[in-house]
Amino acid sequence: MKLFISLILVLILIGIPLIGSNVSGLVYLFGVIIPYIAILTFVIGMSVRVLKWAKIPVPFKITTTCGQQKSLPWINNNNLESPHNTAGVFWRMALEVLFFRSLFRNTRTGLKEGPKIVYGPDKILWAASLAFHWSFLVIFIRHFKIFLQEVPQFIPLLESLDGFMQIGLPILFMTDAALLLGLTVLFLRRIVDPKLRYISLVADYFPLLLIIGIALTGVWMRYFGKVDIISVKQFTLGLFSFQPIIPDGISAIFFAHLFLVSALLIYFPLSKLVHFGGIFLSPTRNMSNNNREVRHINPWNPKVKLHTYEEWEDEFRDVMKAADMPLEKE
Amino acid sequence: MSDKRNIIIGVIIFILLMTIPIWLNLATGTSTERPELEKPKGDACVMDKEYMTSYHMDLLNEWREEVVRNGEREHIAPDGKKYDRSLTNTCLDCHPSKEKFCDQCHNYLGVKPYCWSCHIVPEEFK
């Protein structure tokens, strides 16, 4: 049910611009107004969400780590798992953000005869996520050939690496295939496994299907029902220099692609996709474990009135002396 | 303990990265003109123009396949004319300057076909 709601939502999102962009006058809406709104929503929305998180106080160091912390000199510490300085945190974060190290440790629960519960490694989720995210990044970077008047030198280089296999013309980009493969695995995972299907929501299916829609319309435009990319680039350059024009001869499928991307951009700051910014703020990953080196005091702890032992002894010195009790100071 | 400063720096970097097309295009200046192509010889291409503009690589792929794998060297254009399926001899015959024709579009989009590491461009030998 939730799956079908998501599917229908995405199909509607593809349908609207396919029909709408043929209606004269509406092209401007799909080509200019909605993309501008989407980009603004994305950039401002993400910034606001992250800045909101920044306001939340962090009273204590959270040090759930799986490595030996730095303590006595003769105890080997693991500075990657339990870093005590910024350099260590940097590397732990880099591995997390670039290679999803926490996800790599993901396990799955299975039921064996007995019945017995077993836990095993589950690298498929990690591999599919990695393939998907990296491909998405490379594809996004490749798009800068359409966004920028002067194509930077590294983009042809990136494309030649991406098309290293030189399959067909236009050359098949391996990231296009990897993206679709990764997305398919991530999607099937939710349908095939009953446990996962049970906990999956519209908010889980919808972004996956939306990105699959974006990928398919993009792949369609590059390999099958081609659009005139020269006109598309004229259009995007107009968009990014705030002199929007809509050249003739851009087919509706391009507006479908653009509309889905706009939908994704708007959906981004409103949904679980904010993990894009959130991963940088994972408390158990970005805090150094230096509790033994630095004393951390919760800034809003109430001021406790202290009564130290010395003061206490001063107060009771006479009584203690009379009772023959040992004293620090005579 | 608060990482506010770092987070704000991060957000600023994010905003700059996400709007980078605007800044880079501002620096280089943009034009919404189509790249200018040298006028081809003859009065029609080997397929109709719309097809050629977007699908010429598919046609070249088909030609290559037909010639190298199947030995079929003859292409019949929609207007009935016969052409030899050849990159250098046919395409570059009517579009003699690769630089002023093919490369105009390709540079515009940073496309670098690898064909020319083997196939000759006659103008470069003059």
Side-chain angles (χ1 to χ4, degrees), chain A residues 42 46-47 50 54 58 61 144-145 147-151 156 166 169-171 224-228 230-231 233-234 241-242 245 276, chain B residues 1 4 7 11 14-15 18 20-22 24-25 28-35 53-55 57-58 61 105 108-110 112 114:
Chain A
F42 175 66
M46 282 301 291
S47 307
V50 172
V58 186
K61 288 261 167 179
F144 276 74
K145 73 175 177 183
F147 298 163
L148 300 179
Q149 176 83 48
E150 303 288 337
V151 181
Q166 300 190 336
L169 282 182
I171 290 184
F224 306 104
K226 301 194 183 172
V227 289
D228 178 9
I230 308 276
S231 310
K233 179 156 179 180
Q234 288 175 293
S241 54
F242 302 105
I245 51 154
F276 165 50
Chain B
M1 181 183 358
K4 251 184 215 153
I7 295 175
V11 168
F14 163 75
I15 293 176
M18 287 301 135
I20 208 164
I22 297 173
L24 286 182
N25 279 333
T28 57
T30 52
S31 91
T32 41
E33 296 292 308
R34 265 183 104 83
T53 306
S54 306
Y55 290 86
M57 48 296 209
D58 294 69
N61 200 26
C105 283
Y108 185 62
L109 278 159
K112 291 217 163 68
Y114 61 92

Short mmCIF file of all heavy atoms in Angstrom, two decimals, chain A residues 42 46-47 50 54 58 61 144-145 147-151 156 166 169-171 224-228 230-231 233-234 241-242 245 276, chain B residues 1 4 7 11 14-15 18 20-22 24-25 28-35 53-55 57-58 61 105 108-110 112 114:
data_model
loop_
_atom_site.label_atom_id
_atom_site.label_comp_id
_atom_site.label_asym_id
_atom_site.label_seq_id
_atom_site.Cartn_x
_atom_site.Cartn_y
_atom_site.Cartn_z
N PHE A 42 16.03 24.34 -1.33
CA PHE A 42 17.07 23.39 -0.95
C PHE A 42 18.17 24.08 -0.15
O PHE A 42 18.50 23.67 0.96
CB PHE A 42 17.65 22.75 -2.21
CG PHE A 42 18.82 21.84 -1.95
CD1 PHE A 42 18.65 20.68 -1.24
CD2 PHE A 42 20.09 22.16 -2.43
CE1 PHE A 42 19.72 19.83 -0.99
CE2 PHE A 42 21.16 21.33 -2.18
CZ PHE A 42 20.98 20.17 -1.47
N MET A 46 18.14 23.54 3.83
CA MET A 46 19.21 22.73 4.43
C MET A 46 19.99 23.56 5.45
O MET A 46 20.33 23.08 6.54
CB MET A 46 20.18 22.21 3.36
CG MET A 46 19.70 21.04 2.57
SD MET A 46 19.32 19.59 3.57
CE MET A 46 20.94 19.10 4.10
N SER A 47 20.29 24.82 5.10
CA SER A 47 21.05 25.66 6.02
C SER A 47 20.27 25.86 7.31
O SER A 47 20.82 25.75 8.41
CB SER A 47 21.34 27.02 5.39
OG SER A 47 21.93 26.85 4.13
N VAL A 50 20.33 22.72 9.48
CA VAL A 50 21.61 22.47 10.13
C VAL A 50 21.88 23.51 11.23
O VAL A 50 22.34 23.16 12.32
CB VAL A 50 22.75 22.45 9.09
CG1 VAL A 50 24.09 22.39 9.77
CG2 VAL A 50 22.59 21.26 8.16
N ALA A 54 22.62 23.24 15.19
CA ALA A 54 23.79 23.86 15.84
C ALA A 54 23.39 24.50 17.15
O ALA A 54 24.21 24.64 18.06
CB ALA A 54 24.40 24.89 14.91
N VAL A 58 25.29 20.73 23.50
CA VAL A 58 25.91 19.41 23.65
C VAL A 58 26.63 19.40 24.99
O VAL A 58 27.78 19.81 25.07
CB VAL A 58 26.91 19.13 22.52
CG1 VAL A 58 27.42 17.72 22.60
CG2 VAL A 58 26.27 19.38 21.18
N LYS A 61 30.58 15.01 26.35
CA LYS A 61 31.21 14.23 25.29
C LYS A 61 30.51 12.88 25.22
O LYS A 61 30.33 12.23 26.25
CB LYS A 61 32.68 14.00 25.62
CG LYS A 61 33.51 15.24 25.48
CD LYS A 61 34.22 15.23 24.15
CE LYS A 61 34.79 16.61 23.87
NZ LYS A 61 35.50 16.68 22.62
N PHE A 144 28.08 19.50 -14.52
CA PHE A 144 28.60 20.86 -14.61
C PHE A 144 29.02 21.22 -16.02
O PHE A 144 29.19 22.38 -16.34
CB PHE A 144 29.76 21.05 -13.63
CG PHE A 144 29.26 21.39 -12.25
CD1 PHE A 144 28.67 20.42 -11.47
CD2 PHE A 144 29.33 22.68 -11.77
CE1 PHE A 144 28.16 20.72 -10.22
CE2 PHE A 144 28.83 23.00 -10.52
CZ PHE A 144 28.25 22.02 -9.75
N LYS A 145 29.15 20.23 -16.91
CA LYS A 145 29.41 20.57 -18.30
C LYS A 145 28.21 21.28 -18.90
O LYS A 145 28.33 22.02 -19.86
CB LYS A 145 29.76 19.32 -19.11
CG LYS A 145 28.59 18.41 -19.40
CD LYS A 145 29.00 17.25 -20.30
CE LYS A 145 27.80 16.33 -20.50
NZ LYS A 145 28.13 15.16 -21.30
N PHE A 147 26.17 23.09 -16.79
CA PHE A 147 25.90 24.27 -15.95
C PHE A 147 26.86 25.43 -16.24
O PHE A 147 26.52 26.57 -15.98
CB PHE A 147 26.05 23.92 -14.46
CG PHE A 147 25.08 22.88 -13.96
CD1 PHE A 147 25.32 22.23 -12.77
CD2 PHE A 147 23.94 22.57 -14.67
CE1 PHE A 147 24.42 21.27 -12.29
CE2 PHE A 147 23.04 21.62 -14.20
CZ PHE A 147 23.29 20.97 -13.01
N LEU A 148 28.06 25.12 -16.70
CA LEU A 148 29.09 26.16 -16.79
C LEU A 148 29.39 26.51 -18.24
O LEU A 148 29.51 25.63 -19.10
CB LEU A 148 30.39 25.68 -16.13
CG LEU A 148 30.30 25.32 -14.65
CD1 LEU A 148 31.64 24.86 -14.15
CD2 LEU A 148 29.81 26.52 -13.85
N GLN A 149 29.54 27.80 -18.50
CA GLN A 149 29.87 28.24 -19.85
C GLN A 149 31.19 27.63 -20.31
O GLN A 149 31.27 27.02 -21.37
CB GLN A 149 29.97 29.76 -19.88
CG GLN A 149 30.40 30.34 -21.21
CD GLN A 149 29.23 30.47 -22.16
OE1 GLN A 149 28.17 30.98 -21.81
NE2 GLN A 149 29.40 29.99 -23.37
N GLU A 150 32.22 27.78 -19.48
CA GLU A 150 33.52 27.20 -19.81
C GLU A 150 33.61 25.87 -19.09
O GLU A 150 33.69 25.84 -17.87
CB GLU A 150 34.66 28.10 -19.34
CG GLU A 150 34.63 29.51 -19.89
CD GLU A 150 34.99 29.55 -21.36
OE1 GLU A 150 35.67 28.60 -21.82
OE2 GLU A 150 34.58 30.50 -22.04
N VAL A 151 33.63 24.78 -19.84
CA VAL A 151 33.69 23.47 -19.19
C VAL A 151 35.07 23.28 -18.57
O VAL A 151 36.08 23.35 -19.28
CB VAL A 151 33.42 22.35 -20.20
CG1 VAL A 151 33.45 21.00 -19.52
CG2 VAL A 151 32.08 22.57 -20.88
N PRO A 156 36.02 16.56 -18.78
CA PRO A 156 36.31 15.55 -19.80
C PRO A 156 37.15 14.40 -19.24
O PRO A 156 36.95 13.23 -19.61
CB PRO A 156 37.10 16.33 -20.85
CG PRO A 156 36.67 17.73 -20.69
CD PRO A 156 36.37 17.92 -19.25
N GLN A 166 34.51 2.27 -22.90
CA GLN A 166 34.22 2.64 -24.28
C GLN A 166 33.18 1.73 -24.92
O GLN A 166 33.37 1.19 -26.00
CB GLN A 166 35.51 2.66 -25.11
CG GLN A 166 36.51 3.65 -24.57
CD GLN A 166 37.69 3.87 -25.49
OE1 GLN A 166 38.01 3.01 -26.30
NE2 GLN A 166 38.33 5.01 -25.38
N LEU A 169 28.23 4.19 -28.46
CA LEU A 169 28.27 5.63 -28.65
C LEU A 169 26.86 6.14 -28.50
O LEU A 169 25.97 5.57 -29.11
CB LEU A 169 28.76 6.01 -30.05
CG LEU A 169 30.25 5.96 -30.38
CD1 LEU A 169 30.45 6.42 -31.81
CD2 LEU A 169 31.08 6.76 -29.43
N PRO A 170 26.54 7.16 -27.75
CA PRO A 170 27.45 7.81 -26.82
C PRO A 170 27.93 6.81 -25.78
O PRO A 170 27.21 5.90 -25.42
CB PRO A 170 26.59 8.90 -26.19
CG PRO A 170 25.19 8.44 -26.37
CD PRO A 170 25.18 7.68 -27.65
N ILE A 171 29.16 7.02 -25.34
CA ILE A 171 29.78 6.05 -24.47
C ILE A 171 28.94 5.80 -23.21
O ILE A 171 28.42 6.74 -22.62
CB ILE A 171 31.18 6.54 -24.08
CG1 ILE A 171 32.08 6.46 -25.31
CG2 ILE A 171 31.75 5.73 -22.95
CD1 ILE A 171 33.48 6.83 -25.05
N PHE A 224 18.60 7.14 -25.32
CA PHE A 224 17.50 6.68 -26.16
C PHE A 224 16.76 7.83 -26.84
O PHE A 224 17.05 8.15 -27.98
CB PHE A 224 16.57 5.78 -25.35
CG PHE A 224 17.31 4.64 -24.69
CD1 PHE A 224 17.58 4.67 -23.33
CD2 PHE A 224 17.76 3.57 -25.44
CE1 PHE A 224 18.28 3.63 -22.73
CE2 PHE A 224 18.46 2.53 -24.85
CZ PHE A 224 18.72 2.56 -23.49
N GLY A 225 15.83 8.44 -26.10
CA GLY A 225 15.05 9.50 -26.73
C GLY A 225 15.73 10.84 -26.56
O GLY A 225 15.40 11.61 -25.69
N LYS A 226 16.75 11.11 -27.41
CA LYS A 226 17.65 12.22 -27.08
C LYS A 226 17.02 13.59 -27.16
O LYS A 226 16.15 13.83 -27.98
CB LYS A 226 18.84 12.15 -28.02
CG LYS A 226 19.49 10.82 -27.82
CD LYS A 226 20.82 10.71 -28.40
CE LYS A 226 21.21 9.29 -28.13
NZ LYS A 226 22.39 8.85 -28.72
N VAL A 227 17.53 14.45 -26.30
CA VAL A 227 17.15 15.85 -26.41
C VAL A 227 18.33 16.58 -27.06
O VAL A 227 19.44 16.07 -27.10
CB VAL A 227 16.89 16.48 -25.03
CG1 VAL A 227 15.62 15.94 -24.44
CG2 VAL A 227 18.06 16.24 -24.10
N ASP A 228 18.06 17.75 -27.54
CA ASP A 228 19.13 18.55 -28.11
C ASP A 228 19.88 19.21 -26.96
O ASP A 228 19.44 20.21 -26.40
CB ASP A 228 18.52 19.59 -29.04
CG ASP A 228 19.58 20.50 -29.63
OD1 ASP A 228 20.78 20.21 -29.44
OD2 ASP A 228 19.21 21.51 -30.25
N ILE A 230 22.48 20.93 -26.79
CA ILE A 230 22.94 22.30 -26.99
C ILE A 230 21.87 23.27 -26.50
O ILE A 230 22.16 24.22 -25.76
CB ILE A 230 23.24 22.55 -28.48
CG1 ILE A 230 24.17 21.48 -29.03
CG2 ILE A 230 23.79 23.94 -28.70
CD1 ILE A 230 25.61 21.69 -28.82
N SER A 231 20.61 23.01 -26.88
CA SER A 231 19.52 23.88 -26.41
C SER A 231 19.40 23.80 -24.89
O SER A 231 19.15 24.81 -24.23
CB SER A 231 18.19 23.46 -27.02
OG SER A 231 18.30 23.32 -28.39
N LYS A 233 21.72 23.27 -22.78
CA LYS A 233 22.77 24.07 -22.13
C LYS A 233 22.47 25.56 -22.25
O LYS A 233 22.70 26.31 -21.30
CB LYS A 233 24.14 23.74 -22.73
CG LYS A 233 25.23 24.57 -22.10
CD LYS A 233 26.60 23.96 -22.19
CE LYS A 233 27.61 24.88 -21.55
NZ LYS A 233 28.97 24.36 -21.60
N GLN A 234 21.95 25.98 -23.39
CA GLN A 234 21.55 27.39 -23.51
C GLN A 234 20.56 27.73 -22.41
O GLN A 234 20.64 28.79 -21.78
CB GLN A 234 20.88 27.64 -24.87
CG GLN A 234 21.83 27.62 -26.03
CD GLN A 234 21.05 27.75 -27.31
OE1 GLN A 234 20.29 26.87 -27.71
NE2 GLN A 234 21.21 28.88 -27.99
N SER A 241 22.37 32.51 -15.05
CA SER A 241 22.80 33.91 -15.14
C SER A 241 21.60 34.83 -15.00
O SER A 241 21.68 36.01 -15.33
CB SER A 241 23.54 34.17 -16.45
OG SER A 241 22.74 33.77 -17.53
N PHE A 242 20.50 34.29 -14.50
CA PHE A 242 19.28 35.05 -14.21
C PHE A 242 18.73 35.79 -15.43
O PHE A 242 18.16 36.85 -15.31
CB PHE A 242 19.52 36.02 -13.05
CG PHE A 242 19.96 35.30 -11.81
CD1 PHE A 242 21.29 35.34 -11.40
CD2 PHE A 242 19.06 34.54 -11.09
CE1 PHE A 242 21.70 34.65 -10.28
CE2 PHE A 242 19.47 33.85 -9.97
CZ PHE A 242 20.78 33.90 -9.56
N ILE A 245 15.87 31.87 -20.53
CA ILE A 245 15.28 31.77 -21.85
C ILE A 245 14.87 30.32 -22.03
O ILE A 245 15.43 29.43 -21.39
CB ILE A 245 16.26 32.14 -22.98
CG1 ILE A 245 17.57 31.34 -22.81
CG2 ILE A 245 16.52 33.61 -23.04
CD1 ILE A 245 18.29 31.15 -24.10
N PHE A 276 22.20 14.07 4.64
CA PHE A 276 23.29 14.68 3.87
C PHE A 276 24.07 15.68 4.74
O PHE A 276 25.31 15.68 4.75
CB PHE A 276 22.66 15.35 2.64
CG PHE A 276 23.55 16.32 1.92
CD1 PHE A 276 24.83 15.98 1.56
CD2 PHE A 276 23.07 17.57 1.56
CE1 PHE A 276 25.62 16.88 0.87
CE2 PHE A 276 23.85 18.47 0.88
CZ PHE A 276 25.13 18.12 0.53
N MET B 1 30.51 23.32 25.75
CA MET B 1 31.09 22.75 24.54
C MET B 1 30.11 22.94 23.38
O MET B 1 28.97 22.54 23.46
CB MET B 1 31.32 21.27 24.79
CG MET B 1 31.92 20.55 23.65
SD MET B 1 32.06 18.81 24.01
CE MET B 1 31.46 18.64 25.68
N LYS B 4 29.41 25.41 17.27
CA LYS B 4 28.67 26.36 16.44
C LYS B 4 29.53 26.96 15.34
O LYS B 4 29.12 27.05 14.20
CB LYS B 4 28.10 27.47 17.32
CG LYS B 4 26.60 27.36 17.46
CD LYS B 4 26.03 28.50 18.25
CE LYS B 4 24.87 27.96 19.07
NZ LYS B 4 24.60 28.67 20.27
N ILE B 7 30.15 24.58 12.57
CA ILE B 7 28.93 24.29 11.81
C ILE B 7 28.61 25.45 10.88
O ILE B 7 28.26 25.25 9.71
CB ILE B 7 27.76 24.00 12.76
CG1 ILE B 7 28.05 22.72 13.55
CG2 ILE B 7 26.47 23.86 11.98
CD1 ILE B 7 27.03 22.40 14.60
N VAL B 11 28.18 25.38 6.89
CA VAL B 11 26.99 25.83 6.16
C VAL B 11 27.38 26.82 5.08
O VAL B 11 26.87 26.77 3.95
CB VAL B 11 25.97 26.44 7.14
CG1 VAL B 11 24.87 27.17 6.40
CG2 VAL B 11 25.36 25.34 8.00
N PHE B 14 28.79 24.97 2.25
CA PHE B 14 27.69 24.31 1.54
C PHE B 14 27.00 25.28 0.59
O PHE B 14 26.79 24.98 -0.59
CB PHE B 14 26.70 23.73 2.55
CG PHE B 14 25.35 23.39 1.99
CD1 PHE B 14 25.19 22.25 1.20
CD2 PHE B 14 24.25 24.19 2.23
CE1 PHE B 14 23.95 21.93 0.68
CE2 PHE B 14 23.01 23.88 1.71
CZ PHE B 14 22.86 22.75 0.93
N ILE B 15 26.67 26.47 1.11
CA ILE B 15 25.95 27.44 0.27
C ILE B 15 26.81 27.84 -0.93
O ILE B 15 26.34 27.90 -2.07
CB ILE B 15 25.55 28.68 1.10
CG1 ILE B 15 24.52 28.27 2.16
CG2 ILE B 15 24.97 29.77 0.20
CD1 ILE B 15 24.12 29.38 3.10
N MET B 18 26.93 25.00 -3.48
CA MET B 18 25.67 24.76 -4.17
C MET B 18 25.33 25.87 -5.15
O MET B 18 24.53 25.69 -6.05
CB MET B 18 24.52 24.61 -3.16
CG MET B 18 24.57 23.30 -2.42
SD MET B 18 24.48 21.92 -3.56
CE MET B 18 25.77 20.87 -2.91
N ILE B 20 27.76 27.43 -6.84
CA ILE B 20 28.99 27.69 -7.58
C ILE B 20 28.76 27.95 -9.07
O ILE B 20 29.47 28.77 -9.66
CB ILE B 20 30.02 26.56 -7.33
CG1 ILE B 20 31.42 27.11 -7.49
CG2 ILE B 20 29.82 25.38 -8.24
CD1 ILE B 20 32.49 26.24 -6.91
N PRO B 21 27.76 27.32 -9.72
CA PRO B 21 27.56 27.65 -11.14
C PRO B 21 27.31 29.14 -11.34
O PRO B 21 27.78 29.72 -12.32
CB PRO B 21 26.33 26.84 -11.52
CG PRO B 21 26.23 25.76 -10.53
CD PRO B 21 26.83 26.28 -9.27
N ILE B 22 26.60 29.76 -10.40
CA ILE B 22 26.31 31.19 -10.54
C ILE B 22 27.61 31.99 -10.51
O ILE B 22 27.87 32.82 -11.37
CB ILE B 22 25.37 31.66 -9.42
CG1 ILE B 22 24.03 30.93 -9.54
CG2 ILE B 22 25.17 33.16 -9.47
CD1 ILE B 22 23.07 31.17 -8.40
N LEU B 24 30.83 30.97 -10.93
CA LEU B 24 31.77 30.69 -12.02
C LEU B 24 31.28 31.30 -13.32
O LEU B 24 32.06 31.85 -14.10
CB LEU B 24 31.96 29.18 -12.19
CG LEU B 24 32.79 28.51 -11.10
CD1 LEU B 24 32.95 27.03 -11.38
CD2 LEU B 24 34.17 29.16 -11.02
N ASN B 25 29.97 31.22 -13.56
CA ASN B 25 29.44 31.81 -14.79
C ASN B 25 29.55 33.33 -14.76
O ASN B 25 29.75 33.96 -15.78
CB ASN B 25 27.99 31.39 -15.01
CG ASN B 25 27.90 30.01 -15.62
OD1 ASN B 25 28.81 29.58 -16.32
ND2 ASN B 25 26.83 29.31 -15.35
N THR B 28 33.18 34.07 -15.80
CA THR B 28 33.54 33.91 -17.20
C THR B 28 32.60 34.66 -18.12
O THR B 28 32.92 34.90 -19.28
CB THR B 28 33.53 32.43 -17.61
OG1 THR B 28 32.22 31.91 -17.35
CG2 THR B 28 34.55 31.62 -16.86
N GLY B 29 31.43 35.00 -17.61
CA GLY B 29 30.43 35.60 -18.49
C GLY B 29 29.72 34.52 -19.27
O GLY B 29 30.33 33.48 -19.59
N THR B 30 28.46 34.70 -19.53
CA THR B 30 27.74 33.66 -20.27
C THR B 30 27.14 34.26 -21.52
O THR B 30 26.91 35.46 -21.62
CB THR B 30 26.56 33.10 -19.45
OG1 THR B 30 25.77 34.19 -19.00
CG2 THR B 30 27.04 32.30 -18.27
N SER B 31 26.91 33.40 -22.49
CA SER B 31 26.12 33.82 -23.62
C SER B 31 25.14 32.70 -23.90
O SER B 31 25.46 31.53 -23.72
CB SER B 31 27.00 34.09 -24.84
OG SER B 31 27.11 32.93 -25.61
N THR B 32 23.96 33.06 -24.31
CA THR B 32 22.98 32.01 -24.57
C THR B 32 22.89 31.74 -26.07
O THR B 32 21.92 31.23 -26.57
CB THR B 32 21.60 32.41 -24.02
OG1 THR B 32 21.37 33.78 -24.30
CG2 THR B 32 21.54 32.22 -22.52
N GLU B 33 23.98 32.11 -26.79
CA GLU B 33 24.04 31.82 -28.22
C GLU B 33 24.37 30.36 -28.46
O GLU B 33 25.13 29.76 -27.69
CB GLU B 33 25.15 32.67 -28.88
CG GLU B 33 24.90 34.17 -28.82
CD GLU B 33 23.72 34.56 -29.68
OE1 GLU B 33 23.70 34.19 -30.87
OE2 GLU B 33 22.80 35.22 -29.15
N ARG B 34 23.83 29.80 -29.53
CA ARG B 34 24.27 28.47 -29.96
C ARG B 34 25.66 28.59 -30.54
O ARG B 34 26.00 29.61 -31.13
CB ARG B 34 23.35 27.95 -31.05
CG ARG B 34 22.23 27.07 -30.59
CD ARG B 34 21.46 26.58 -31.82
NE ARG B 34 21.80 25.18 -32.11
CZ ARG B 34 21.23 24.17 -31.50
NH1 ARG B 34 20.34 24.36 -30.58
NH2 ARG B 34 21.54 22.92 -31.82
N PRO B 35 26.50 27.57 -30.34
CA PRO B 35 27.82 27.63 -30.98
C PRO B 35 27.65 27.74 -32.49
O PRO B 35 26.75 27.15 -33.06
CB PRO B 35 28.47 26.30 -30.58
CG PRO B 35 27.39 25.45 -30.03
CD PRO B 35 26.30 26.34 -29.57
N THR B 53 21.60 16.22 -35.48
CA THR B 53 22.00 17.07 -34.35
C THR B 53 22.12 16.25 -33.06
O THR B 53 23.09 16.38 -32.32
CB THR B 53 20.97 18.19 -34.15
OG1 THR B 53 20.82 18.86 -35.39
CG2 THR B 53 21.43 19.16 -33.10
N SER B 54 21.16 15.39 -32.81
CA SER B 54 21.18 14.68 -31.54
C SER B 54 21.67 13.24 -31.63
O SER B 54 22.14 12.68 -30.65
CB SER B 54 19.77 14.66 -30.93
OG SER B 54 19.27 15.96 -30.83
N TYR B 55 21.52 12.62 -32.80
CA TYR B 55 21.80 11.18 -32.87
C TYR B 55 23.00 10.84 -33.74
O TYR B 55 23.17 9.68 -34.09
CB TYR B 55 20.57 10.45 -33.44
CG TYR B 55 19.37 10.40 -32.53
CD1 TYR B 55 18.45 11.44 -32.51
CD2 TYR B 55 19.14 9.30 -31.71
CE1 TYR B 55 17.35 11.39 -31.68
CE2 TYR B 55 18.03 9.24 -30.89
CZ TYR B 55 17.13 10.29 -30.88
OH TYR B 55 16.04 10.24 -30.07
N MET B 57 26.03 10.40 -33.12
CA MET B 57 26.92 9.37 -32.57
C MET B 57 26.33 7.98 -32.73
O MET B 57 27.07 7.03 -32.95
CB MET B 57 27.32 9.65 -31.13
CG MET B 57 26.23 10.00 -30.18
SD MET B 57 25.50 11.50 -30.70
CE MET B 57 24.89 12.29 -29.31
N ASP B 58 25.00 7.88 -32.66
CA ASP B 58 24.39 6.57 -32.88
C ASP B 58 24.60 6.13 -34.33
O ASP B 58 24.86 4.95 -34.59
CB ASP B 58 22.89 6.63 -32.59
CG ASP B 58 22.61 6.88 -31.13
OD1 ASP B 58 22.89 7.99 -30.64
OD2 ASP B 58 22.15 5.96 -30.45
N ASN B 61 28.10 5.02 -34.69
CA ASN B 61 28.26 3.71 -34.07
C ASN B 61 27.75 2.62 -35.00
O ASN B 61 28.37 1.57 -35.18
CB ASN B 61 27.47 3.68 -32.75
CG ASN B 61 27.95 2.60 -31.83
OD1 ASN B 61 29.11 2.19 -31.91
ND2 ASN B 61 27.07 2.12 -30.98
N CYS B 105 30.58 22.26 -31.30
CA CYS B 105 29.59 21.72 -30.37
C CYS B 105 30.27 20.98 -29.24
O CYS B 105 29.90 21.10 -28.07
CB CYS B 105 28.68 20.73 -31.07
SG CYS B 105 27.44 21.49 -32.10
N TYR B 108 31.79 23.04 -26.61
CA TYR B 108 30.73 23.71 -25.85
C TYR B 108 30.28 22.84 -24.69
O TYR B 108 29.95 23.33 -23.62
CB TYR B 108 29.57 23.98 -26.81
CG TYR B 108 28.42 24.78 -26.24
CD1 TYR B 108 28.62 26.07 -25.80
CD2 TYR B 108 27.13 24.26 -26.22
CE1 TYR B 108 27.56 26.82 -25.30
CE2 TYR B 108 26.07 25.00 -25.73
CZ TYR B 108 26.29 26.29 -25.27
OH TYR B 108 25.24 27.01 -24.78
N LEU B 109 30.28 21.52 -24.89
CA LEU B 109 29.82 20.61 -23.85
C LEU B 109 30.94 19.75 -23.27
O LEU B 109 30.69 18.81 -22.52
CB LEU B 109 28.73 19.69 -24.41
CG LEU B 109 27.35 20.34 -24.45
CD1 LEU B 109 26.46 19.64 -25.43
CD2 LEU B 109 26.72 20.34 -23.08
N GLY B 110 32.17 20.07 -23.64
CA GLY B 110 33.28 19.29 -23.10
C GLY B 110 33.26 17.83 -23.52
O GLY B 110 33.68 16.96 -22.76
N LYS B 112 34.76 14.88 -25.70
CA LYS B 112 36.00 14.61 -26.41
C LYS B 112 35.96 13.22 -27.03
O LYS B 112 36.45 12.27 -26.43
CB LYS B 112 37.19 14.71 -25.45
CG LYS B 112 37.46 16.12 -24.96
CD LYS B 112 38.97 16.35 -24.84
CE LYS B 112 39.31 17.83 -24.76
NZ LYS B 112 38.87 18.49 -23.52
N TYR B 114 36.93 9.94 -28.76
CA TYR B 114 38.28 9.38 -28.82
C TYR B 114 38.63 8.89 -30.23
O TYR B 114 39.69 8.33 -30.44
CB TYR B 114 38.42 8.22 -27.81
CG TYR B 114 37.46 7.07 -28.08
CD1 TYR B 114 37.86 5.99 -28.87
CD2 TYR B 114 36.19 7.06 -27.55
CE1 TYR B 114 36.99 4.95 -29.13
CE2 TYR B 114 35.31 6.03 -27.80
CZ TYR B 114 35.71 4.97 -28.59
OH TYR B 114 34.85 3.94 -28.86
#
